[in-house]
């Protein structure tokens, strides 16, 4: 694919000049898009196993591999997740739902098997397990893309902790990070433009002095979005810009019960 076209699609501009030719793997990554419409075709077991192997090829902190991936093809369970979320009915179309979890339990069991006390029940371990799970999900997404499948991450599973815990039998020390729908795309979404590198990439020292000037142009790249939290901030039928919706969402505390739920599951954030 044309590297310049991929960069323009990703940023709405050409912030740098890419090489004339780039490897197919990098082109695939630059062209990644979410999928919210799936064909009913099942994902063959061998293909799913290959994608999961791709996910497990992600790096992990200190090689501790503090994550687990739960797989369901059960349409009733997938529908329960979708119905609980309420705003993503397309989840029901996906033939596979993956749940990426941070897993502190396994490390505790390894320590016990070696006759040692697990001395890292802390926020640092929670962060490491979260990062391990996120990296595995990212690698799984790209493995799926490489094999012609589509995905969409779903952080909303953390809005329904009791349901997810029950459906997937999560024991103490295991917590959900995000869900991931998986299947053959009926259609792919358009490329989602990203913030310009000048805002996200900092060279040598952190410098966000260009953020305010960059936001109007970035907002203009994005079509108006469905207003977030209209019950709190009021309706806006014409839609919201990216920055307005980001501010709407970030000004409302979300998942305030997550820390308390973690404590009930034997995960200390002290």
């Amino acid at each position: 694919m044309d590297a310049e076209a991929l960069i323009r699609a990703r940023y709405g501009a050409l912030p740098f000049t890419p090489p004339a030719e780039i490897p197919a793997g990098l082109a695939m990554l630059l062209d990644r898009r979410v999928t919210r419409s799936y064909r009913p075709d099942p994902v063959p077991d061998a293909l799913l196993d290959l994608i999961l192997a791709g996910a497990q090829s992600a790096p992990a902190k200190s090689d501790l591999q503090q994550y687990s991936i739960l797989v369901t093809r059960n349409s009733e369970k997938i529908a329960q997740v979708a119905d609980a979320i309420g705003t993503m009915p397309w989840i029901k179309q996906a033939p596979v739902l993956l749940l990426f979890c941070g897993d502190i339990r396994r490390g505790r069991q390894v320590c016990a098997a070696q006759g040692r006390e697990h001395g890292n029940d802390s926020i640092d371990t929670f962060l490491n397990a979260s990062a391990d799970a996120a990296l595995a999900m990212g690698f799984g997404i790209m493995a799926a893309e490489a094999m012609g499948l589509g995905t969409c991450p779903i952080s909303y599973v953390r809005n329904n902790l009791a349901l997810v815990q029950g459906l997937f039998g999560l024991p103490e020390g295991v917590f959900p990070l995000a869900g991931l729908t998986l299947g053959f795309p009926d259609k792919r979404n358009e490329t989602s433009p990203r913030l310009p590198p000048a805002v996200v990439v900092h060279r040598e020292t952190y410098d966000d002095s260009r953020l305010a000037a960059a936001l109007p142009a970035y907002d203009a790249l994005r079509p108006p979005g469905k207003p977030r939290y209209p019950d709190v901030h009021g309706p806006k039928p014409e839609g919201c810009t990216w920055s307005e919706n980001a501010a709407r969402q970030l000004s409302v505390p979300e998942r305030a019960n997550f820390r308390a739920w973690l404590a009930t599951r034997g995960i200390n954030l002290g």
Side-chain angles (χ1 to χ4, degrees), residues 17-251:
T17 303
E21 296 184 6
I22 59 174
L26 179 55
M28 180 194 67
L29 191 152
L30 292 171
D31 192 45
R32 187 209 62 82
R33 314 173 193 191
V34 298
T35 297
R36 296 193 179 99
S37 182
Y38 297 93
R39 303 202 311 260
D41 313 51
V43 178
D45 288 343
L47 179 54
L48 178 57
D49 288 342
L50 189 62
I51 290 167
L52 293 170
Q56 280 199 267
S57 298
K61 192 271 177 188
S62 298
D63 195 25
L64 294 174
Q65 306 173 62
Q66 296 177 103
Y67 67 94
S68 284
I69 308 168
L70 285 93
V71 182
T72 183
R73 296 179 181 271
N74 185 307
S75 59
E76 292 184 4
K77 288 174 70 172
I78 294 173
Q80 285 186 65
V81 172
D83 289 341
I85 293 171
T87 56
M88 302 177 184
W90 48 266
I91 291 173
K92 297 179 184 179
Q93 296 178 354
V96 179
L97 178 65
L98 306 179
L99 184 68
F100 287 81
C101 297
D103 191 335
I104 299 171
R105 176 184 178 87
R106 186 183 302 117
R108 293 172 178 168
Q109 291 180 313
V110 170
C111 282
Q114 292 292 322
R116 297 185 182 276
E117 291 286 334
H118 187 276
N120 283 279
D121 285 333
S122 65
I123 194 168
D124 187 62
T125 294
F126 173 78
L127 180 61
N128 289 331
S130 300
D132 280 0
L135 285 166
M137 183 171 69
F139 271 56
I141 288 170
M142 296 317 302
E145 290 270 336
M147 299 305 296
L149 276 76
T151 64
C152 185
I154 308 167
S155 66
Y156 266 75
V157 295
R158 298 199 306 277
N159 286 34
N160 300 278
L161 293 166
L163 173 68
V164 169
Q165 176 188 330
L167 285 177
F168 293 94
L170 303 184
E172 285 196 2
V174 179
F175 61 92
L177 181 81
L180 188 74
T181 51
L182 176 70
F184 291 99
D186 183 40
K187 63 179 180 180
R188 301 176 75 206
N189 281 33
E190 294 299 317
T191 302
S192 180
R194 292 302 193 230
L195 287 162
V199 169
V200 176
V201 180
H202 306 263
R203 302 186 188 277
E204 307 302 340
T205 59
Y206 188 96
D207 177 10
D208 61 2
S209 61
R210 288 171 284 191
L211 175 61
L215 285 177
Y218 181 65
D219 283 339
L221 283 175
R222 308 290 298 261
K226 181 180 178 181
R228 296 173 186 171
Y229 288 108
D231 54 329
V232 176
H233 300 297
K236 193 170 184 180
E238 68 273 26
C240 295
T241 64
W242 177 87
S243 60
E244 182 179 359
N245 254 343
R248 278 175 168 245
Q249 181 167 350
L250 294 172
S251 65

